[in-house]
Every structure is written in C-alpha cells, then in structure tokens.
Amino acid sequence: MNALQVMSALAQTSRFEAFRVLVDALPEGMASSDIAAAIDTTPNTMSAHLAILERAGLVSSEKIGRSVIYRAETSTAEGLSEFLAHACQRGRTARKRHPAA
C-alpha cells in the first residue's frame, strides 16, 4: 500500500464520496453512471475519479455484459487505517517517554 497515493485519492471530495457510496453498495457494487448520479457529478468526471481510485487500490472494476461494475476494496483503506494507528501509537509512546517541558 502506498499511503500517500491512497490519502491523495481520498482527499478529493467527489472521490471520497464515490468511495463511501461504493462501501455502502458492497458487495454488489455499482455502475459508473449510478455512482455519478449518487454524488451528483457527470459520468465523464466520474470515470476520471474512478480511474484514480482504482490506481490507488481503493476500487476494482469488472465488466459484466455491457456494464462495468465498480466495488470498494476495503482492504486498502484498512491498510491505511493500520498505518495511521501505528503512527499514532508511536507518537503516544514517544510523548510518554519525552514529555514536553
């Protein structure tokens, strides 16, 4: 997991909302046009956002008939959460050892 790539992908409002909508749609997933409608954006814009989320490992896609179905990949978000939790724990430990003067 590239934490910076994942955080960057989620730092944009429409991408964050698309990921949230896809998490809510698990396990079925959704078509790009349905995601776009759910977050009130255009299908072309949604395709660009989904490409970024897919490169970051946050969504996967599967062609089913004439549609492409997107699904949230929560293991990537879990990896980011674990990374951040570990960093926070190290910070707490360091503060206990070396309190501010």
Side-chain angles (χ1 to χ4, degrees):
M1 178 209 50
N2 181 335
L4 186 57
Q5 185 179 23
V6 174
M7 288 187 292
S8 178
L10 291 173
Q12 200 279 341
T13 304
S14 294
R15 289 193 295 268
F16 182 83
E17 287 301 314
F19 181 71
R20 185 190 57 75
V21 164
L22 286 170
V23 168
D24 289 345
L26 283 172
E28 293 83 13
M30 295 173 73
S32 176
S33 59
D34 295 332
I35 303 165
I39 67 167
D40 196 30
T41 193
T42 65
N44 286 344
T45 301
M46 191 74 263
S47 293
H49 288 314
L50 288 167
I52 291 168
L53 290 169
E54 194 161 21
R55 280 194 301 274
L58 290 162
V59 302
S60 61
S61 61
E62 177 183 10
K63 187 160 177 63
I64 298 176
R66 294 175 55 194
S67 297
V68 177
I69 301 300
Y70 290 87
R71 289 182 184 83
E73 294 297 333
T74 58
S75 61
T76 300
E78 290 167 12
L80 176 61
S81 178
E82 290 169 8
F83 167 79
L84 293 172
H86 178 71
C88 292
Q89 181 58 45
R90 288 191 66 176
R92 281 190 293 273
T93 301
R95 284 192 305 275
K96 288 178 183 175
R97 287 189 198 144
H98 305 286

